[in-house]
Amino acid sequence: MTHHPVPFRQFVLKVHSRCDLACDHCYVYEHADTSWRGRPRAASDEVLARTAERIAEHVSAHRLRAVHVVLHGGEPLLAGPVRLRRAAELLRAALPGDCTLDLRIHTNGVLLSREFCELFDELDIRVGVSLDGDRVANDRHRRFPDGRSSHAKVLAAVDLLRLPEFRHLYAGLLCTIDVENDPVAVYEALVALDPPRIDFLLPHATWDVPPKHPDGAGPTPYADWLLAVHDRWTEQGRPVPVRGFESIHRTLRGRSSLTESLGLDPADLVVIETDGSLEQADSLKTAYDGAPATGFDLFAHTLDDVARHPGMLERQSGLAGLSARCRACPVVRSCGGGLYAHRYRSGSGFDNPSVFCADLLKLITTIRDGAALPAPPAAPPAPLTEEQLLELASGHGGGPTVRALAAAQLGLTRRLLAAVAAGPSPAWDVLDELDGRAPGALDAVLAHPYARSWAVRCLQGEPGADLGGLAELAAAAAVRAGLPAELVLPVRGGAVHLPTLGRVLTGGSGEARLTVTADGFTVDGGGDRLRVRPDAPDAPDAPDAPGDGRWQPVRRIPLPGWTVALEDTDPQRDSHQWPAADRLPDPELTAWTADLRAAWELLGRELPGHLPGIAAGLSTVTPLRPGPAGRDISAAARQAFGAVGIARPTDPAILALLVAHEFQHVKLGAVLDFHDLYDAADDALYYAPWRPDPRPLEGLLQGTYAHLAVTEFWGARARTYDGAGGAAGDRARLQLATWRAHTAEAVETLIDSGSLTGLGRRFAVGMRAAVAPWLDAPVGAAAEAGARRAAAENLERWRARSPEQAAATGR
């Protein structure tokens, strides 16, 4: 099956290729692959630098907003603090500023010291530790080469991570299952260490070398072992996240898995060895000697080259890549065929079910049948009537229509939130109480554009997207409602964040405790205690805060008929195509305020049909960093209804244009969430007269709809300068001539595509009617000639970039 490779978002960087333990179940040293013997012990500076360059190149090519890098081995702590610092600093320096790096190290723990923890605190590296349970269970496999126990040293390492100063570094515990160990005793020993997460891993095995199967254990010993743990975990109220169990619950509900060993999500991981070789998942080392090899390395190949390797593509092929037996299985979408390496058998390769097939089937069906899973919510009714849709097709949309869109988006965010939560928690309890006692306060927070951005990132499993966002939303809603609550919030970038309200600068990282009372809230974090008291429950952005500026409220600009937030505090605001600006200093805030006021007045004069919709649906303007010199930068995020991002232009008139243009994208994106306007199966690319690259149908539709506002704007400006000479009038007439031609041509391309639904065709006909009056507006011969030149130049660029498509379409 042919498909496009998925970009890599997870990178395992081998910083050291040897280990100080001699675990007899280790896939690196004790299984089929022997490539470790010929590799350098430690990654060189050259390999580390090239790794950083290749990852940054891949991030930029695919516009990735977050990547996950694990420093691994062997035992990575053997690389020493100097080399680990070098790796972290090179990675952070190379990545674009708008990409989040989730950097972790996975260790056996025996060398972990205060020195290492202080280094990891400085470099923001989280630490995962391998531990197989109590001493008896752990020492069954995890011993030093001379046979000594490693258990005491690992416990000392975990105790370090549990100290308040290092707790934020503690990423979790990884336990490899041995069915001869008591499952409940292993679980209790791990839970006693208060980990933020536990992973239970099946031991690596294949059909050639099957897993241990003790006499008298029954046909499914691994399922029985895990189900005993699951029962105890459930009895205790699920006190700690268990990745495998959560993945089963999620996939049974149609959501994504949290691990590559379950579900059908495409693999997006690549391994970088100490010599710069690029390999597939480490688990393949258990299949046969050389199984993970690709033949590629950092110095001669890009990561895109590796992504196209047949082995990588096979691991990304989902259901189609499974054996016939797996495809016919009733739990295939949850099981996903199990871990790829566990399917191997000589003669048939990986075209087999997992060697743990019977165990996975029993585990998943038992959890499914006993978990009382809620039925997925019914699809919501379409929020708009056809009359309202045709009103939007004109490029406008009145207040009632846009408010209907906003209400539908709020309902969607609520459903996403419930999907993310997936179970009880202190934050969910607060949200549930608010839903009954103060739904208006809750809706005010959930309507925040970046609440949905966060939820979608969580559901997509993006690195850096965590459930701390749930507590932030709950805290903000409680403050708005004046509802007493106590929650633990993450400290992100040295601050505690309350979406829609602002942030409290605490310094440091980790967690802070926030206590809400009827008249404000208190934050305990960073070794300090800060009290913030809003003047009134309905004005939480006007606090009685200390004079040191540690409380930074969201600033709102009141305009006639519209109040808009200038969002420069929410860490989720970096959801647009361009990076968000930092907190606006007072002079820049003053400039924004003046320019938005001028832009709003101009929109009222020249685009009055857009004002009611903007006032009803655009709640947030997010300042962006300036773009390249002479270029106006703006964007709308598909998953952030109600927000636009803009780098403030020098001319308030252009600010008015950018607001109207980007809000078109916001409206149409919301429409497409609920109304089918085109055939989603159409994967053809279409010519867009304003771009040199071909666009998918949705991209063409979005651009065309946005340019209705652009055409109307320049039409109004040209009318303002009617009969007047000068550069401003000439520019307005040229822009009108250019954009009306582009938009009219694109509308016809949409209508002629054959891929619009009946509703979509009526929508496009409405767009045609909206642009038609501007086609007759007089602009003069010079403007017409300039528009023709612009169209011809773009067509030539398109032909040069897409010669095959140009030939196929006769352009």
Side-chain angles (χ1 to χ4, degrees), residues 177 179 183 202-203 212-213 217-231 245 248 356-367:
I177 297 167
V179 291
L202 292 168
K212 179 192 298 186
H213 198 294
T220 55
Y222 293 89
D224 297 337
W225 197 98
L226 282 166
L227 286 169
V229 174
H230 186 270
D231 288 346
F245 298 156
I248 290 173
F356 294 100
C357 176
D359 294 278
L360 290 170
L361 179 62
K362 181 174 181 179
L363 176 66
I364 293 168
T365 55
T366 303
I367 290 176

mmCIF file of all heavy atoms in Angstrom, residues 177 179 183 202-203 212-213 217-231 245 248 356-367:
data_model
loop_
_atom_site.group_PDB
_atom_site.id
_atom_site.type_symbol
_atom_site.label_atom_id
_atom_site.label_comp_id
_atom_site.label_asym_id
_atom_site.label_seq_id
_atom_site.Cartn_x
_atom_site.Cartn_y
_atom_site.Cartn_z
ATOM 1 N N ILE A 177 7.522 -6.942 32.591
ATOM 2 C CA ILE A 177 6.742 -7.984 33.264
ATOM 3 C C ILE A 177 7.499 -9.314 33.276
ATOM 4 O O ILE A 177 8.064 -9.727 32.255
ATOM 5 C CB ILE A 177 5.391 -8.175 32.542
ATOM 6 C CG1 ILE A 177 4.563 -6.890 32.625
ATOM 7 C CG2 ILE A 177 4.622 -9.354 33.123
ATOM 8 C CD1 ILE A 177 3.377 -6.889 31.683
ATOM 9 N N VAL A 179 6.115 -12.996 34.614
ATOM 10 C CA VAL A 179 4.914 -13.593 35.191
ATOM 11 C C VAL A 179 5.214 -14.453 36.412
ATOM 12 O O VAL A 179 4.289 -14.893 37.101
ATOM 13 C CB VAL A 179 4.141 -14.419 34.130
ATOM 14 C CG1 VAL A 179 3.537 -13.505 33.086
ATOM 15 C CG2 VAL A 179 5.033 -15.482 33.502
ATOM 16 N N PRO A 183 2.030 -10.142 40.738
ATOM 17 C CA PRO A 183 1.619 -8.897 40.070
ATOM 18 C C PRO A 183 1.211 -7.800 41.055
ATOM 19 O O PRO A 183 1.575 -6.627 40.865
ATOM 20 C CB PRO A 183 0.454 -9.332 39.180
ATOM 21 C CG PRO A 183 -0.030 -10.626 39.751
ATOM 22 C CD PRO A 183 1.171 -11.279 40.356
ATOM 23 N N LEU A 202 5.442 -5.757 28.175
ATOM 24 C CA LEU A 202 5.603 -7.176 27.907
ATOM 25 C C LEU A 202 7.064 -7.447 27.584
ATOM 26 O O LEU A 202 7.721 -6.640 26.905
ATOM 27 C CB LEU A 202 4.724 -7.595 26.735
ATOM 28 C CG LEU A 202 3.213 -7.557 26.986
ATOM 29 C CD1 LEU A 202 2.462 -7.709 25.670
ATOM 30 C CD2 LEU A 202 2.787 -8.626 27.979
ATOM 31 N N PRO A 203 7.613 -8.557 28.031
ATOM 32 C CA PRO A 203 9.011 -8.872 27.686
ATOM 33 C C PRO A 203 9.130 -9.085 26.181
ATOM 34 O O PRO A 203 8.213 -9.607 25.540
ATOM 35 C CB PRO A 203 9.276 -10.160 28.467
ATOM 36 C CG PRO A 203 7.933 -10.781 28.654
ATOM 37 C CD PRO A 203 6.968 -9.635 28.802
ATOM 38 N N LYS A 212 8.418 -16.533 28.108
ATOM 39 C CA LYS A 212 8.329 -17.516 29.186
ATOM 40 C C LYS A 212 6.875 -17.918 29.415
ATOM 41 O O LYS A 212 5.986 -17.067 29.414
ATOM 42 C CB LYS A 212 8.905 -16.889 30.455
ATOM 43 C CG LYS A 212 8.869 -17.784 31.676
ATOM 44 C CD LYS A 212 9.178 -17.001 32.955
ATOM 45 C CE LYS A 212 10.555 -16.401 32.925
ATOM 46 N NZ LYS A 212 10.900 -15.778 34.225
ATOM 47 N N HIS A 213 6.667 -19.210 29.633
ATOM 48 C CA HIS A 213 5.316 -19.712 29.863
ATOM 49 C C HIS A 213 5.403 -20.778 30.955
ATOM 50 O O HIS A 213 5.535 -21.970 30.677
ATOM 51 C CB HIS A 213 4.755 -20.310 28.571
ATOM 52 C CG HIS A 213 3.261 -20.464 28.582
ATOM 53 N ND1 HIS A 213 2.608 -21.337 29.430
ATOM 54 C CD2 HIS A 213 2.289 -19.845 27.851
ATOM 55 C CE1 HIS A 213 1.308 -21.266 29.220
ATOM 56 N NE2 HIS A 213 1.080 -20.364 28.260
ATOM 57 N N ALA A 217 0.465 -22.296 34.267
ATOM 58 C CA ALA A 217 0.070 -20.883 34.272
ATOM 59 C C ALA A 217 -1.171 -20.611 33.441
ATOM 60 O O ALA A 217 -1.710 -19.504 33.478
ATOM 61 C CB ALA A 217 1.220 -20.018 33.766
ATOM 62 N N GLY A 218 -1.634 -21.566 32.668
ATOM 63 C CA GLY A 218 -2.781 -21.324 31.816
ATOM 64 C C GLY A 218 -2.351 -20.763 30.477
ATOM 65 O O GLY A 218 -1.185 -20.435 30.241
ATOM 66 N N PRO A 219 -3.289 -20.645 29.537
ATOM 67 C CA PRO A 219 -2.933 -20.235 28.162
ATOM 68 C C PRO A 219 -2.579 -18.759 28.011
ATOM 69 O O PRO A 219 -1.992 -18.379 27.005
ATOM 70 C CB PRO A 219 -4.194 -20.582 27.361
ATOM 71 C CG PRO A 219 -5.303 -20.500 28.367
ATOM 72 C CD PRO A 219 -4.716 -20.971 29.668
ATOM 73 N N THR A 220 -2.967 -17.929 28.996
ATOM 74 C CA THR A 220 -2.743 -16.469 28.847
ATOM 75 C C THR A 220 -2.114 -15.896 30.116
ATOM 76 O O THR A 220 -2.706 -15.065 30.809
ATOM 77 C CB THR A 220 -4.077 -15.758 28.558
ATOM 78 O OG1 THR A 220 -5.021 -16.100 29.603
ATOM 79 C CG2 THR A 220 -4.643 -16.140 27.203
ATOM 80 N N PRO A 221 -0.899 -16.278 30.437
ATOM 81 C CA PRO A 221 -0.305 -15.832 31.712
ATOM 82 C C PRO A 221 -0.072 -14.328 31.781
ATOM 83 O O PRO A 221 -0.145 -13.735 32.868
ATOM 84 C CB PRO A 221 1.003 -16.609 31.781
ATOM 85 C CG PRO A 221 1.332 -16.954 30.360
ATOM 86 C CD PRO A 221 0.015 -17.176 29.696
ATOM 87 N N TYR A 222 0.226 -13.692 30.640
ATOM 88 C CA TYR A 222 0.529 -12.256 30.669
ATOM 89 C C TYR A 222 -0.751 -11.438 30.828
ATOM 90 O O TYR A 222 -0.770 -10.429 31.545
ATOM 91 C CB TYR A 222 1.321 -11.865 29.417
ATOM 92 C CG TYR A 222 2.681 -12.510 29.434
ATOM 93 C CD1 TYR A 222 2.876 -13.772 28.876
ATOM 94 C CD2 TYR A 222 3.739 -11.898 30.078
ATOM 95 C CE1 TYR A 222 4.111 -14.402 28.937
ATOM 96 C CE2 TYR A 222 4.991 -12.521 30.141
ATOM 97 C CZ TYR A 222 5.164 -13.769 29.577
ATOM 98 O OH TYR A 222 6.397 -14.389 29.671
ATOM 99 N N ALA A 223 -1.819 -11.872 30.194
ATOM 100 C CA ALA A 223 -3.109 -11.208 30.413
ATOM 101 C C ALA A 223 -3.546 -11.370 31.855
ATOM 102 O O ALA A 223 -4.018 -10.411 32.496
ATOM 103 C CB ALA A 223 -4.160 -11.780 29.469
ATOM 104 N N ASP A 224 -3.396 -12.574 32.414
ATOM 105 C CA ASP A 224 -3.815 -12.821 33.795
ATOM 106 C C ASP A 224 -3.021 -11.936 34.752
ATOM 107 O O ASP A 224 -3.568 -11.393 35.718
ATOM 108 C CB ASP A 224 -3.626 -14.298 34.143
ATOM 109 C CG ASP A 224 -4.505 -15.207 33.290
ATOM 110 O OD1 ASP A 224 -5.528 -14.721 32.764
ATOM 111 O OD2 ASP A 224 -4.159 -16.394 33.150
ATOM 112 N N TRP A 225 -1.737 -11.804 34.493
ATOM 113 C CA TRP A 225 -0.864 -10.963 35.336
ATOM 114 C C TRP A 225 -1.326 -9.505 35.289
ATOM 115 O O TRP A 225 -1.503 -8.842 36.321
ATOM 116 C CB TRP A 225 0.573 -11.101 34.840
ATOM 117 C CG TRP A 225 1.652 -10.645 35.787
ATOM 118 C CD1 TRP A 225 2.380 -11.438 36.620
ATOM 119 C CD2 TRP A 225 2.145 -9.313 35.948
ATOM 120 N NE1 TRP A 225 3.296 -10.680 37.308
ATOM 121 C CE2 TRP A 225 3.175 -9.367 36.918
ATOM 122 C CE3 TRP A 225 1.829 -8.084 35.388
ATOM 123 C CZ2 TRP A 225 3.887 -8.241 37.322
ATOM 124 C CZ3 TRP A 225 2.525 -6.955 35.803
ATOM 125 C CH2 TRP A 225 3.539 -7.027 36.752
ATOM 126 N N LEU A 226 -1.535 -8.997 34.097
ATOM 127 C CA LEU A 226 -1.941 -7.595 33.942
ATOM 128 C C LEU A 226 -3.350 -7.354 34.468
ATOM 129 O O LEU A 226 -3.633 -6.284 35.029
ATOM 130 C CB LEU A 226 -1.846 -7.191 32.470
ATOM 131 C CG LEU A 226 -0.417 -6.888 31.986
ATOM 132 C CD1 LEU A 226 -0.372 -6.826 30.462
ATOM 133 C CD2 LEU A 226 0.080 -5.564 32.574
ATOM 134 N N LEU A 227 -4.228 -8.314 34.327
ATOM 135 C CA LEU A 227 -5.595 -8.131 34.827
ATOM 136 C C LEU A 227 -5.620 -8.102 36.354
ATOM 137 O O LEU A 227 -6.438 -7.386 36.948
ATOM 138 C CB LEU A 227 -6.506 -9.228 34.293
ATOM 139 C CG LEU A 227 -6.871 -9.081 32.809
ATOM 140 C CD1 LEU A 227 -7.545 -10.343 32.286
ATOM 141 C CD2 LEU A 227 -7.779 -7.865 32.590
ATOM 142 N N ALA A 228 -4.713 -8.828 36.989
ATOM 143 C CA ALA A 228 -4.616 -8.744 38.448
ATOM 144 C C ALA A 228 -4.190 -7.342 38.862
ATOM 145 O O ALA A 228 -4.703 -6.776 39.838
ATOM 146 C CB ALA A 228 -3.623 -9.791 38.970
ATOM 147 N N VAL A 229 -3.252 -6.766 38.113
ATOM 148 C CA VAL A 229 -2.833 -5.383 38.387
ATOM 149 C C VAL A 229 -3.983 -4.419 38.104
ATOM 150 O O VAL A 229 -4.255 -3.497 38.884
ATOM 151 C CB VAL A 229 -1.593 -5.018 37.542
ATOM 152 C CG1 VAL A 229 -1.243 -3.538 37.711
ATOM 153 C CG2 VAL A 229 -0.407 -5.884 37.927
ATOM 154 N N HIS A 230 -4.671 -4.639 36.986
ATOM 155 C CA HIS A 230 -5.770 -3.749 36.611
ATOM 156 C C HIS A 230 -6.870 -3.759 37.676
ATOM 157 O O HIS A 230 -7.426 -2.698 38.020
ATOM 158 C CB HIS A 230 -6.344 -4.165 35.259
ATOM 159 C CG HIS A 230 -7.387 -3.234 34.716
ATOM 160 N ND1 HIS A 230 -8.733 -3.385 34.995
ATOM 161 C CD2 HIS A 230 -7.289 -2.120 33.933
ATOM 162 C CE1 HIS A 230 -9.413 -2.425 34.404
ATOM 163 N NE2 HIS A 230 -8.564 -1.656 33.754
ATOM 164 N N ASP A 231 -7.172 -4.924 38.212
ATOM 165 C CA ASP A 231 -8.193 -5.003 39.253
ATOM 166 C C ASP A 231 -7.786 -4.198 40.487
ATOM 167 O O ASP A 231 -8.597 -3.462 41.056
ATOM 168 C CB ASP A 231 -8.430 -6.467 39.652
ATOM 169 C CG ASP A 231 -9.169 -7.251 38.579
ATOM 170 O OD1 ASP A 231 -9.728 -6.615 37.663
ATOM 171 O OD2 ASP A 231 -9.170 -8.496 38.652
ATOM 172 N N PHE A 245 -3.000 0.521 30.364
ATOM 173 C CA PHE A 245 -4.425 0.477 30.666
ATOM 174 C C PHE A 245 -5.144 1.691 30.081
ATOM 175 O O PHE A 245 -6.247 1.569 29.526
ATOM 176 C CB PHE A 245 -4.645 0.428 32.177
ATOM 177 C CG PHE A 245 -4.072 -0.788 32.858
ATOM 178 C CD1 PHE A 245 -3.752 -0.766 34.206
ATOM 179 C CD2 PHE A 245 -3.849 -1.964 32.144
ATOM 180 C CE1 PHE A 245 -3.231 -1.881 34.833
ATOM 181 C CE2 PHE A 245 -3.325 -3.088 32.757
ATOM 182 C CZ PHE A 245 -3.004 -3.047 34.114
ATOM 183 N N ILE A 248 -5.674 1.210 26.397
ATOM 184 C CA ILE A 248 -6.791 0.308 26.072
ATOM 185 C C ILE A 248 -8.118 1.046 26.235
ATOM 186 O O ILE A 248 -8.998 0.980 25.358
ATOM 187 C CB ILE A 248 -6.740 -0.950 26.968
ATOM 188 C CG1 ILE A 248 -5.535 -1.815 26.566
ATOM 189 C CG2 ILE A 248 -8.032 -1.755 26.833
ATOM 190 C CD1 ILE A 248 -5.276 -2.986 27.491
ATOM 191 N N PHE A 356 2.064 -12.508 21.559
ATOM 192 C CA PHE A 356 1.206 -12.349 22.736
ATOM 193 C C PHE A 356 -0.269 -12.215 22.339
ATOM 194 O O PHE A 356 -1.060 -11.679 23.103
ATOM 195 C CB PHE A 356 1.617 -11.115 23.530
ATOM 196 C CG PHE A 356 2.978 -11.202 24.160
ATOM 197 C CD1 PHE A 356 4.069 -10.587 23.568
ATOM 198 C CD2 PHE A 356 3.168 -11.889 25.352
ATOM 199 C CE1 PHE A 356 5.323 -10.656 24.146
ATOM 200 C CE2 PHE A 356 4.416 -11.967 25.939
ATOM 201 C CZ PHE A 356 5.509 -11.355 25.334
ATOM 202 N N CYS A 357 -0.642 -12.706 21.153
ATOM 203 C CA CYS A 357 -1.985 -12.483 20.620
ATOM 204 C C CYS A 357 -3.072 -12.926 21.601
ATOM 205 O O CYS A 357 -4.014 -12.167 21.889
ATOM 206 C CB CYS A 357 -2.143 -13.231 19.292
ATOM 207 S SG CYS A 357 -3.800 -13.126 18.583
ATOM 208 N N ALA A 358 -2.989 -14.126 22.117
ATOM 209 C CA ALA A 358 -4.038 -14.622 23.020
ATOM 210 C C ALA A 358 -4.134 -13.784 24.283
ATOM 211 O O ALA A 358 -5.231 -13.496 24.780
ATOM 212 C CB ALA A 358 -3.764 -16.079 23.375
ATOM 213 N N ASP A 359 -2.963 -13.348 24.789
ATOM 214 C CA ASP A 359 -2.968 -12.507 25.993
ATOM 215 C C ASP A 359 -3.601 -11.151 25.716
ATOM 216 O O ASP A 359 -4.395 -10.648 26.516
ATOM 217 C CB ASP A 359 -1.529 -12.312 26.477
ATOM 218 C CG ASP A 359 -0.892 -13.591 26.961
ATOM 219 O OD1 ASP A 359 -1.126 -13.977 28.117
ATOM 220 O OD2 ASP A 359 -0.162 -14.215 26.166
ATOM 221 N N LEU A 360 -3.267 -10.551 24.581
ATOM 222 C CA LEU A 360 -3.825 -9.231 24.254
ATOM 223 C C LEU A 360 -5.332 -9.316 24.058
ATOM 224 O O LEU A 360 -6.077 -8.427 24.492
ATOM 225 C CB LEU A 360 -3.139 -8.683 23.000
ATOM 226 C CG LEU A 360 -1.676 -8.275 23.184
ATOM 227 C CD1 LEU A 360 -1.035 -7.989 21.830
ATOM 228 C CD2 LEU A 360 -1.566 -7.054 24.090
ATOM 229 N N LEU A 361 -5.792 -10.377 23.391
ATOM 230 C CA LEU A 361 -7.226 -10.534 23.172
ATOM 231 C C LEU A 361 -7.965 -10.639 24.512
ATOM 232 O O LEU A 361 -8.983 -9.966 24.727
ATOM 233 C CB LEU A 361 -7.495 -11.766 22.315
ATOM 234 C CG LEU A 361 -8.963 -12.074 22.024
ATOM 235 C CD1 LEU A 361 -9.619 -10.946 21.239
ATOM 236 C CD2 LEU A 361 -9.090 -13.391 21.265
ATOM 237 N N LYS A 362 -7.452 -11.452 25.419
ATOM 238 C CA LYS A 362 -8.118 -11.604 26.713
ATOM 239 C C LYS A 362 -8.052 -10.319 27.522
ATOM 240 O O LYS A 362 -9.049 -9.901 28.134
ATOM 241 C CB LYS A 362 -7.483 -12.747 27.506
ATOM 242 C CG LYS A 362 -8.146 -12.965 28.865
ATOM 243 C CD LYS A 362 -7.599 -14.189 29.587
ATOM 244 C CE LYS A 362 -8.295 -14.393 30.928
ATOM 245 N NZ LYS A 362 -7.788 -15.587 31.642
ATOM 246 N N LEU A 363 -6.906 -9.671 27.534
ATOM 247 C CA LEU A 363 -6.744 -8.421 28.294
ATOM 248 C C LEU A 363 -7.729 -7.363 27.825
ATOM 249 O O LEU A 363 -8.451 -6.746 28.620
ATOM 250 C CB LEU A 363 -5.303 -7.921 28.153
ATOM 251 C CG LEU A 363 -4.984 -6.584 28.810
ATOM 252 C CD1 LEU A 363 -5.097 -6.684 30.326
ATOM 253 C CD2 LEU A 363 -3.571 -6.121 28.396
ATOM 254 N N ILE A 364 -7.799 -7.151 26.524
ATOM 255 C CA ILE A 364 -8.634 -6.074 25.983
ATOM 256 C C ILE A 364 -10.112 -6.395 26.141
ATOM 257 O O ILE A 364 -10.909 -5.541 26.553
ATOM 258 C CB ILE A 364 -8.269 -5.819 24.507
ATOM 259 C CG1 ILE A 364 -6.843 -5.255 24.413
ATOM 260 C CG2 ILE A 364 -9.268 -4.857 23.863
ATOM 261 C CD1 ILE A 364 -6.282 -5.238 23.015
ATOM 262 N N THR A 365 -10.507 -7.619 25.842
ATOM 263 C CA THR A 365 -11.940 -7.952 25.940
ATOM 264 C C THR A 365 -12.405 -7.948 27.388
ATOM 265 O O THR A 365 -13.537 -7.550 27.674
ATOM 266 C CB THR A 365 -12.236 -9.310 25.294
ATOM 267 O OG1 THR A 365 -11.382 -10.309 25.884
ATOM 268 C CG2 THR A 365 -12.006 -9.265 23.795
ATOM 269 N N THR A 366 -11.554 -8.364 28.317
ATOM 270 C CA THR A 366 -11.947 -8.349 29.732
ATOM 271 C C THR A 366 -12.121 -6.926 30.220
ATOM 272 O O THR A 366 -13.097 -6.600 30.916
ATOM 273 C CB THR A 366 -10.902 -9.086 30.590
ATOM 274 O OG1 THR A 366 -10.751 -10.419 30.106
ATOM 275 C CG2 THR A 366 -11.334 -9.116 32.046
ATOM 276 N N ILE A 367 -11.194 -6.059 29.865
ATOM 277 C CA ILE A 367 -11.327 -4.652 30.256
ATOM 278 C C ILE A 367 -12.544 -4.033 29.573
ATOM 279 O O ILE A 367 -13.323 -3.313 30.196
ATOM 280 C CB ILE A 367 -10.039 -3.887 29.907
ATOM 281 C CG1 ILE A 367 -8.901 -4.330 30.834
ATOM 282 C CG2 ILE A 367 -10.255 -2.375 30.003
ATOM 283 C CD1 ILE A 367 -7.557 -3.711 30.509
#
